[in-house]
Structure formats: structure tokens, C-alpha cells
Amino acid sequence: MTDPLLITVAPTGAETAKEDCPHLPTTPEELAQTAKDCEQAGAAMIHIHVRDRQHQPTLDLTLLREWVAAVRESTDLIVQLSTGGSVHDPLDQRFKVLDAEPDACSLTMGTTNFGNDVFSNPWPFVCDLYQLTQQRGVVPEFELFDLGQVHAMRRLLDKYGLPAGGKVHVDLVMGVPGGMNGTTDALVAAVRDLPRETTSWSATGIGRSTLNVILASLSKGGHLRVGMEDVLTISKGVPVESNAQLVERAAAIGALAQRHPMTPDEARELIGVGR
């Protein structure tokens, strides 16, 4: 028997323009096909940023619901919506993501310099969003961009208790300019300091750190997030053809570490998502 591996796919993001990357799924129809292909390749959860009809990032509730429905109609994947939106979205709009009734959502534990921009997550917003996830029964994935956010998570759990579902699942986002490095040393330090309540964790390597982070996470027993939100090349100078290609690579590397992809139902059990 091999150990199970949660593979999350982040297919779109909010930063890459459609004209710069025609393969990026930016419509409900494209997302549905991407989700289906990625589930077949080994993904169990999908992390979604929504785009409008002009392919621009949006938090429009009608479109959020349409994208959630598109995935649910075509796959059994866990649907996780981003509460980060784009770096330009106002805080009050980001709460509305939960109105689309996803299975799970991202919950970033602090403000991060994001290249030349600022990804704003002030402490009062984090606390309010966390309590809203508890009230709505939406499972948060704690996104941690640096060690300060690891320790902020300890503070949050001490004050407000366990999340909906009773499990604590974390994603280490590594390699963002302004966040922690996408290195083994940084990953080991972050995992070492995770709160004792943590029941599972994954790691995301941005850009050129993708492979380093995949290998480091597997070596420490973690899970993986991959996708075109995070990297647009499969190797130096070679563009990614599809999100499924990245999921297939993650599954193949996982197999070398004797880890097999979880099914969506296994992933639901892992992170505490109900049916």
C-alpha cells in the first residue's frame, strides 16, 4: 500500500491575462472541462478564482455561483473558492465569496507584499472571515505565505477554536516575491512551527520554485497544490499546455515517492468537508 496524496489544482488565478495565456480557463465552460480533465489526472480539490465575460477577475456573486455549479455538474471535486480575489479587490467584497456556498475556501493569515502589489489581509478581516466560515460551515484552507502567518494561525485558533469540519488543513504558499522562499529550508521551518491542531498540510511552489517545493513537500509527508495560477512553464522556456499536464506531473512524482492520488471522497475526509 502507498500513502494517499491530496492534489489540489489551481487552474486560473487572478493575475495572468487571457491574451498572454490562451490555455488559461476563464469561462465556466473552460473551467468545467479543466476540472474534469484534472480529476481524471488525479486532482481531488479545485481552487477557483472567477473571471467575467471579458476574462477579468471578478467577485460577482452570479458568476461565482455559475462557476461553482459548472464544476459540481461535471466532477466530484471539492470546490474551494478563493477569498483573496485579486490584490485590488476591497475587503468587504471578499466576504461575499461564501454566499456562493463552496465546500471550502482559502483563508490567508496575513498581509503579504505580492511582487509590486500588496495582498491585504489585516487581522480584523482575518478574524471576521474565519468566524463567518464557522457560521456557514465552509472549511477553510489556511494559506500561509511566511512564518509570521504560521504564528498568526496559532493566535487565531487559540481565540476562536477549530474550523468547520473539525480539521485544520494548511497550504504553504512559497516563492512569492515578498513571501517565504520556495526552498526546502523554508518549508521545514514552516512545518516545524505549524500549530499542533494541524491535521494536514500541502505546499504550493510559485514559478521556478514549483519542482523544489513538490519534492520538499513529498519528502516531509505533505500534499501538493499545482496549476496555472502558480506556474506557466512545464520546464525552462516550455509553456504549460493545460492544468491537467501539471496534475499528471504531480501524480507521477508522487508515485515515485509511493504516494497515490486521493479520491475526492478521501480528500473530504482528510480536510473535514461534508457531503
Side-chain angles (χ1 to χ4, degrees), residues 9-266:
V9 61
T12 305
E15 310 306 322
T16 301
K18 179 76 165 182
E19 56 265 29
D20 295 334
C21 185
H23 298 306
L24 198 73
T26 57
T27 69
E29 297 77 16
E30 290 173 345
L31 183 74
Q33 186 61 55
T34 293
K36 187 174 181 178
D37 294 343
C38 288
E39 182 179 32
Q40 186 173 4
M45 181 157 65
I46 187 166
H47 170 83
I48 302 173
H49 290 255
V50 174
R51 302 291 182 100
D52 63 20
R53 301 305 182 193
Q54 289 72 47
H55 311 291
Q56 297 302 308
T58 181
L59 293 177
D60 177 82
L61 182 57
T62 299
L63 289 175
L64 285 165
R65 287 175 170 158
E66 186 177 354
W67 282 49
V68 169
V71 173
R72 287 181 173 155
E73 289 168 4
S74 58
T75 75
D76 196 35
L77 294 175
I78 296 171
V79 178
Q80 180 194 96
L81 287 178
S82 170
T83 62
S86 80
V87 293
H88 307 293
D89 286 321
L91 298 177
D92 61 336
Q93 294 297 311
R94 290 162 55 189
F95 289 116
K96 295 181 179 180
V97 166
L98 300 187
D99 293 340
E101 301 180 353
D103 302 308
C105 69
S106 60
L107 200 161
T108 302
M109 288 304 306
T111 296
T112 303
N113 286 327
F114 203 92
N116 294 328
D117 296 304
V118 176
F119 181 25
S120 180
N121 294 280
W123 182 246
F125 168 77
V126 171
C127 293
D128 289 347
L129 178 57
Y130 184 54
Q131 292 174 88
L132 191 58
T133 66
Q134 292 173 313
Q135 295 164 15
R136 299 285 185 88
V138 176
V139 173
E141 178 182 79
F142 297 96
E143 280 192 339
L144 309 178
F145 286 76
D146 62 35
L147 286 181
Q149 293 181 20
V150 175
H151 298 295
M153 186 180 160
R154 161 81 283 141
R155 181 183 173 199
L156 189 77
L157 293 173
D158 283 347
K159 186 168 185 177
Y160 298 108
L162 293 176
K167 304 290 182 70
V168 177
H169 179 66
V170 170
D171 185 47
L172 306 174
V173 184
M174 310 182 69
V176 170
M180 62 181 150
N181 290 334
T183 63
T184 299
D185 288 344
L187 182 140
V188 169
V191 172
R192 177 199 63 203
D193 287 355
L194 289 174
R196 63 183 179 277
E197 293 90 345
T198 303
T199 51
S200 59
W201 61 271
S202 63
T204 302
I206 304 299
R208 67 186 65 183
S209 72
T210 297
L211 285 174
N212 288 343
V213 169
I214 286 174
L215 295 169
S217 183
L218 290 171
S219 74
K220 285 288 290 180
H223 302 279
L224 304 175
R225 187 183 100 172
V226 298
M228 294 174 71
E229 173 175 346
D230 305 318
V231 65
L232 295 173
T233 57
I234 195 70
S235 59
K236 187 174 182 180
V238 181
V240 170
E241 295 178 359
S242 69
N243 281 283
Q245 183 183 26
L246 294 170
V247 174
E248 289 166 357
R249 180 173 69 173
I253 297 173
L256 293 175
Q258 300 186 10
R259 305 278 300 277
H260 69 272
M262 284 185 174
T263 66
D265 281 344
E266 289 174 325

